[in-house]
Every structure is written in structure tokens, then in C-alpha cells.
Amino acid sequence: MSERKPVIRITYCTQCQWLLRAGWMAQELLSTFSLELGEVVLVPGTGGIFTVTCDDHLIWERKRDGGFPDAAKLKQLVRDVIDPERDLGHSDRKKS
């Protein structure tokens, strides 16, 4: 029996038309963590919601965190939950 892999859920507001943003973030995460993730699920919602969770861990919430994460920041936050020792290369480098 194989080990269960983490599941990312991106809940986005359909009223705000954030499907493309959610899909792009899902694509970025799947490209970076293709072997570490079990799946990335897009969940339609309403009321300005935009959240990213990994299993039961809230990684990003638009209202709490002040907008949307860029791809590098989201990858760092996901990495910190699923594989804290992993080096993300250029996504980990500090901007000067």
C-alpha cells in the first residue's frame, strides 16, 4: 500500500472570476511538487474567498494575508508544510 500524499485545495470566488488565478497557482504547484502531491483540487466558492490549504493546514487566505501570494511565495509556504528541508532553488533566493 502506497503512502498517502498531501492534497492541496484552492478555494476561489466564482463571483470575482478568480478561476484563472486559481488554475495558474495549481499549475505552478503541480509543476514544482509533481511527485510530492497527491492532487490539487479547485473548489468554487463565493463571497470573495480565496484560500489555499494543504490537508487541514491553512496556507493562505486572501483576507487574512492581504491579497494573493506570488508563485514563489506560495511554493515556499507549501514546501514548508510538505517538505521543509527541500531547496526550491531560485524560488528561495532573496530579492536584493
Side-chain angles (χ1 to χ4, degrees), residues 25-95:
M25 290 187 178
Q27 179 181 345
E28 288 290 322
L29 292 174
L30 286 167
S31 294
T32 300
F33 303 105
S34 59
L35 299 177
E36 294 87 357
L37 294 176
E39 59 186 295
V40 175
V41 180
L42 299 180
V43 182
T46 58
I49 191 168
F50 193 92
T51 60
V52 180
T53 61
C54 180
D55 295 328
D56 292 328
H57 181 83
L58 180 63
I59 292 176
W60 189 270
E61 197 225 347
R62 185 188 65 82
K63 291 177 183 177
R64 179 193 74 183
D65 298 313
F68 300 96
D70 62 28
K73 179 65 176 174
L74 184 58
K75 289 176 185 183
Q76 290 169 359
L77 293 169
V78 169
R79 181 271 322 270
D80 291 348
V81 172
I82 67 171
D83 189 4
E85 300 300 314
R86 180 172 175 176
D87 180 10
L88 293 175
H90 70 277
S91 292
D92 270 342
R93 295 199 183 99
K94 302 275 191 238
K95 294 181 180 176

Side-chain angles (χ1 to χ4, degrees), residues 12-19 45-49:
Y12 63 94
C13 180
T14 58
Q15 297 167 313
C16 301
Q17 299 184 13
W18 289 335
L19 173 59
T46 58
I49 191 168

